[in-house]
Amino acid sequence: MATKNYHVMVFPWLAFGHMLPFLELSKKLAAKGTRVSFVSTPKNLQRLPPVHSSLGDKIKMLEIPLPSVDGLPVNCEATVDLQPEEIQYLKKAYDKLALPFEELLLENLPDLILIDFAPFWIPEIAAKYGVSTAFFSVYTASTLAYLGPPVELKNGTLRTRPEHFVHPPPWFNFHSLVAHRPDYAPTMMRNTHCPDASGVPSGQRIAKIVEGCKFVVVRSCNEFEEKYINLIEELYQRPVLPIGILPPAPETGTQPQTDSGWSYIFRWLNKQKSKSVVFVGFGSEYKMPIKQIHELACALELSEQPFLWILRKPEGVEYQEVLPTGFLSRVSNQGIVSLGWAPQQDILAHPSIGGCLFHSGWGTIIEALSFGHRLVLIPMVADQGLNAKLLVEKEIGHEVPRNEDGSFCKDIVANSIRLVMNTEEGEKLRLRTAQVQKIFSNHRVHDSYIDQFIQHIKRLEFQKGNEK
C-alpha cells in the first residue's frame, strides 16, 4: 500500500495484556508493507506467539536486556511473573532502559515510535534524533477519558479524595456510567497520583507521554466509542486515531479438538446444547486468591448452568486444595475445570458457548463480543472496573453486585449467571450483544482503521519533509 517502506518501532509495557495487542498491530502493519521493529526483553520475546513466516522479513524482534534492581526477583521480566506489590520494581527496572533504548534507536532509526503508557522518557530521546512518537493505548477510549487531561493526571487537583473516583469525572460532557467501585477507588487514586518504588506515578507517566507525542492511537473504533474518542481529542489537544479493536486473526492449522490435551474438553462441548455453556476465565495475569476460587466454585455449582472453567492454580497451593472438597465429583455432569493455559479463541468459537463470566479485561471483551456472547462481569483490578461500567452503560453486560469490601458471594454470582443465561433480561442482553458482534467481527471495518493509520504516518512524514 505504501510507496515508501515506512519503519515503525513499537515498545510496549512489560505485560502480556500490552505486548500482545502491540504484536497484533505490528502484524497488521507488516501485512500492509510497513517495517516494524518490536522492542522488548529477551525472555518476553521468547514467550510471544511466533510471527507467521510470511511476515518474517517485515517484523524484526529487538532485544533490550532488563537491568536488575533490588526488589525485582531474578528472571522476572513481565507482570505475569510477579505479585502485584512487586510490579513497582519492574517499572523501576524498565526506567533504567532509557540509555540502552537510545543506543538501540540509533542503530535502527524509525519513522515513528509507538509507545505504551510507561516509558515517559522516550519522547525526549526520540526528539533528539528527529523521530516522531505516538502513544498507543491498549485501554478503551472511555478509560483514557476517565483518567482525564494531562494537567489532571499530573496534579490531581479536581479529584483529591477516593470518593471523587466513584463518579464519572466533571469533564464528561455526556451521560456515562464509567467510574470505579467505592472499594477500588483508593487503589485507583494511589496508582494514578502516588509515587511507587520507581518514583513516578502512572498519571505522570501518561501525562508526559501525551504531551511529548505527536498523536494518540487507541485500540477502539468510532462504531463503539465515538463520543469517548472525541472527548480524548479535546482533553489531550492532540489528534486521536482509533486503530480498530485489532481482532486476532483466526488461527489456521491449529486443531485443538484433536490435540490429546484438549480432546476431552471439545468432546464434552460437542455434547452440550447450543449457546448453553458459560465460559469462565480470569486470564493469566490476575492471581485469584484461594478464598475467591472456592466462592466462585460454589457459585457455579449453585447456578446449575453448564460451565467450562479455565483456572490458574495459585502459587504455593497443592492441586487437591485448589477446589472445594468434593466439588469436581458433584459437578461432573454440569461442567469441567481445566488448570492452566487454554485455546481461548477456539473455545469461544464453539457453538455450545453462550456466555462468559470473566474479569472485564479489554482483550477478552473483544474476543467474547466477536462471537456475540452474553457477558457476566466480575472486574478485579486496573481498568477492568471501568470496562465493566462501559458494557453496562451499553446494555451488553451484567456486572455482579459486590459486597462493600469488594468481595463477591456465591449466591449473588449464581443469581447473576442465571439472570444472564435464562431470563428475559438475559435475552435482551443476547440481542444487544448480537448487534455489537456485527461491529466486533467485521474485519473489513477494523482493517480500514489500519489503512487510515498508515495514511496518517504518510502525512506526518510529508509535513516533516516540508519543514526541513
Side-chain angles (χ1 to χ4, degrees):
M1 151 137 205
T3 53
K4 176 191 168 182
N5 190 10
Y6 289 98
H7 178 200
V8 175
M9 180 177 281
V10 303
F11 189 43
W13 165 236
L14 305 180
F16 282 91
H18 292 243
M19 289 183 278
L20 291 172
F22 268 78
L23 182 61
E24 202 60 45
L25 176 55
S26 299
K27 291 191 290 187
K28 293 183 186 303
L29 290 173
K32 292 180 178 290
T34 300
R35 284 194 303 126
V36 179
S37 294
F38 189 104
V39 181
S40 194
T41 63
K43 186 177 177 182
N44 288 328
L45 292 179
Q46 291 167 11
R47 291 187 285 182
L48 287 171
V51 173
H52 194 275
S53 56
S54 64
L55 302 176
D57 62 333
K58 290 290 184 186
I59 300 180
K60 186 178 181 182
M61 298 297 190
L62 299 178
E63 290 188 358
I64 186 166
L66 189 69
S68 60
V69 299
D70 290 341
L72 182 66
V74 178
N75 292 324
C76 292
E77 297 185 5
T79 55
V80 72
D81 306 321
L82 302 167
Q83 294 301 315
E85 63 274 10
E86 295 172 321
I87 292 173
Q88 57 184 324
Y89 302 107
L90 185 65
K91 288 181 181 175
K92 188 175 181 179
Y94 189 77
D95 289 343
K96 288 180 176 289
L97 293 175
L99 184 58
F101 180 85
E102 184 168 359
E103 294 169 354
L104 195 70
L105 181 64
L106 276 171
E107 296 170 9
N108 303 270
L109 275 179
D111 298 300
L112 175 72
I113 309 173
L114 280 176
I115 54 178
D116 213 326
F117 80 95
F120 62 95
W121 30 268
I122 286 183
E124 187 177 347
I125 293 171
K128 285 162 56 174
Y129 305 102
V131 178
S132 300
T133 53
F135 170 34
F136 172 36
S137 169
V138 302
Y139 304 115
T140 59
S142 52
T143 291
L144 289 187
Y146 171 88
L147 291 173
V151 65
E152 178 64 19
L153 285 164
K154 284 189 292 190
N155 303 321
T157 53
L158 295 178
R159 292 190 290 198
T160 56
R161 299 192 303 276
E163 52 265 34
H164 293 156
F165 288 82
V166 303
H167 305 289
W171 50 84
F172 276 18
N173 52 13
F174 47 75
H175 172 71
S176 173
L177 298 180
V178 175
H180 274 297
R181 301 189 315 272
D183 65 277
Y184 195 75
T187 301
M188 180 69 202
M189 182 174 177
R190 184 171 61 251
N191 290 348
T192 306
H193 296 304
C194 298
D196 55 19
S198 73
V200 186
S202 292
Q204 286 189 22
R205 290 177 184 273
I206 297 171
K208 290 180 179 181
I209 283 172
V210 169
E211 290 174 338
C213 284
K214 288 284 186 183
F215 61 101
V216 175
V217 181
V218 184
R219 187 190 186 186
S220 190
C221 59
N222 287 322
E223 291 79 1
F224 189 65
E225 281 197 293
E226 185 173 20
K227 65 182 181 181
Y228 290 105
I229 292 168
N230 291 340
L231 178 57
I232 303 168
E233 199 159 62
E234 289 178 30
L235 297 174
Y236 287 176
Q237 294 295 295
R238 295 281 187 286
V240 174
L241 277 64
I243 199 74
I245 60 167
L246 302 176
E251 297 293 332
T252 55
T254 58
Q255 295 180 311
Q257 294 90 334
T258 59
D259 180 87
S260 59
W262 281 95
S263 57
Y264 77 101
I265 284 182
F266 283 93
R267 282 199 304 271
W268 180 82
L269 284 172
N270 291 340
K271 296 175 185 175
Q272 307 307 309
K273 293 179 182 177
S274 174
K275 298 288 186 184
S276 67
V277 178
V278 178
F279 171 79
V280 185
F282 286 77
S284 58
E285 292 279 349
Y286 180 64
K287 298 162 179 68
M288 184 175 282
I290 193 73
K291 186 178 179 181
Q292 287 186 344
I293 291 174
H294 284 202
E295 196 73 11
L296 188 56
C298 294
L300 293 171
E301 183 179 355
L302 279 171
S303 76
E304 300 182 343
Q305 192 74 27
F307 67 86
L308 169 56
W309 186 5
I310 308 303
L311 174 60
R312 174 180 171 145
K313 185 182 84 67
E315 286 184 25
V317 178
E318 298 297 325
Y319 277 96
Q320 61 268 26
E321 298 172 353
V322 174
L323 293 163
T325 305
F327 172 76
L328 289 176
S329 60
R330 293 196 303 272
V331 300
S332 58
N333 294 322
Q334 181 189 350
I336 289 182
V337 180
S338 178
L339 294 172
W341 179 85
Q344 188 163 297
Q345 258 196 285
D346 295 286
I347 292 170
L348 292 176
H350 196 282
S352 69
I353 301 293
C356 295
L357 171 63
F358 69 116
H359 54 19
S360 314
W362 185 216
T364 304
I365 290 170
I366 288 168
E367 289 190 353
L369 288 176
S370 295
F371 295 106
H373 296 321
R374 311 176 199 202
L375 307 178
V376 187
L377 311 168
I378 309 183
M380 295 298 181
V381 295
D383 60 323
Q384 294 166 4
L386 303 177
N387 295 340
K389 290 295 192 295
L390 176 68
L391 298 177
V392 171
E393 176 186 315
K394 290 182 171 290
E395 299 178 341
I396 53 175
H398 172 81
E399 185 175 358
V400 174
R402 305 286 265 275
N403 298 323
E404 194 172 320
D405 64 355
S407 61
F408 55 84
C409 64
K410 57 184 182 293
D411 296 300
I412 293 177
V413 176
N415 287 339
S416 295
I417 293 170
R418 288 193 291 264
L419 181 149
V420 168
M421 298 300 293
N422 297 316
T423 69
E424 186 177 332
E425 186 175 336
E427 180 61 18
K428 290 177 183 175
L429 280 177
R430 187 193 68 76
L431 293 173
R432 287 282 299 149
T433 54
Q435 292 172 1
V436 176
Q437 181 188 9
K438 295 173 184 175
I439 297 170
F440 277 63
S441 63
N442 191 328
H443 285 253
R444 182 185 56 80
V445 165
H446 298 289
D447 190 61
S448 71
Y449 281 108
I450 305 294
D451 290 337
Q452 291 169 33
F453 172 74
I454 293 172
Q455 290 297 330
H456 189 82
I457 299 175
K458 283 184 178 182
R459 288 194 295 272
L460 196 67
E461 288 302 300
F462 179 76
Q463 290 167 3
K464 280 170 63 176
N466 284 346
E467 289 169 2
K468 289 179 181 178

